[in-house]
Amino acid sequence: MKKLFAAQLVPCKLFLLFAISFIFSCVNQEEKSRDFLFNEDENNVETTIDFNLVEALNKSNQKTMKLATITFYQIRDRETLQLVLKIKKDHQKMDSELKKLAEKNLIIIPQIVHNGDINPDSIKKTNIDFYLLNLLGNQMKNQIALLDKIEKTSQNTDFKILAIKSKKI
């Protein structure tokens, strides 16, 4: 009778051992999946981007390129022409990098057409070269302020790097 009772205990012990190991493995899997979810959320917080700043930077860059083009065709001084051409090339490069970053981060940047905010009455009253260069300089100051803001507030390292590199140009 003891042998029969011992024979019945073996399957019960095996079943109990299997049930306990199954419960422990489920608890362990739940902790791993919880850790995975928390890690994923932390990455999303790290890459936060202010879309309004990106759009404002794009607008400012487009205005700067348009003003540089208009200024290039109006000015006759060789050194100033070279400087304006460099400004335009640098901003075209920044525009290309900004569009690549926007595409990488799934940001849609609208196509904008600017006249450069040129006031026709101001052109008639002042020296056109001075007026255009002053507008271009003011636009670049605004753009530097935007780049500073992006550098300080953006948590996305790619946009921070773009802001730092663009300010050095």
Side-chain angles (χ1 to χ4, degrees):
M1 182 130 173
K2 280 187 173 186
K3 286 186 178 184
L4 183 61
F5 182 69
Q8 288 177 345
L9 279 179
V10 170
C12 287
K13 287 181 181 180
L14 285 175
F15 176 75
L16 205 67
L17 181 65
F18 176 73
I20 291 172
S21 65
F22 179 75
I23 290 171
F24 281 127
S25 69
C26 288
V27 169
N28 191 20
Q29 288 295 328
E30 185 178 318
E31 288 176 5
K32 286 181 183 177
S33 66
R34 195 176 316 139
D35 289 343
F36 174 74
L37 290 175
F38 289 129
N39 288 340
E40 187 175 41
D41 288 343
E42 290 172 7
N43 289 339
N44 288 341
V45 170
E46 181 182 321
T47 59
T48 303
I49 302 166
D50 185 353
F51 298 110
N52 294 328
L53 285 177
V54 173
E55 183 180 1
L57 180 62
N58 180 53
K59 285 180 183 178
S60 177
N61 198 43
Q62 296 296 323
K63 283 182 184 180
T64 303
M65 287 190 303
K66 182 69 173 181
L67 281 170
T69 301
I70 293 169
T71 305
F72 180 78
Y73 288 113
Q74 291 295 323
I75 294 191
R76 301 291 174 232
D77 180 46
R78 183 175 176 207
E79 290 177 10
T80 308
L81 281 172
Q82 288 175 340
L83 178 63
V84 170
L85 188 59
K86 182 185 181 327
I87 289 170
K88 184 174 179 179
K89 285 182 181 179
D90 290 343
H91 282 80
Q92 285 173 334
K93 181 180 176 186
M94 186 171 86
D95 185 56
S96 173
E97 290 178 19
L98 179 63
K99 287 180 179 171
K100 286 178 188 174
L101 276 178
E103 185 178 326
K104 178 182 174 186
N105 289 284
L106 303 176
I107 299 172
I108 298 172
I109 298 178
Q111 293 294 328
I112 304 166
V113 178
H114 285 285
N115 64 355
D117 295 334
I118 297 174
N119 184 353
D121 294 334
S122 296
I123 292 175
K124 293 176 186 174
K125 294 178 185 176
T126 62
N127 178 353
I128 191 167
D129 294 354
F130 176 76
Y131 176 73
L132 290 173
L133 288 171
N134 193 29
L135 267 179
L136 186 59
N138 288 337
Q139 188 58 44
M140 291 175 66
K141 286 178 187 175
N142 292 339
Q143 196 167 20
I144 289 171
L146 281 169
L147 291 168
D148 283 337
K149 197 168 186 179
I150 288 172
E151 181 183 356
K152 290 176 184 172
T153 61
S154 179
Q155 295 178 353
N156 184 301
T157 54
D158 292 335
F159 279 97
K160 280 186 177 189
I161 290 170
L162 174 71
I164 292 167
K165 282 178 22 182
S166 298
K167 285 192 310 181
K168 288 181 181 178
I169 295 174

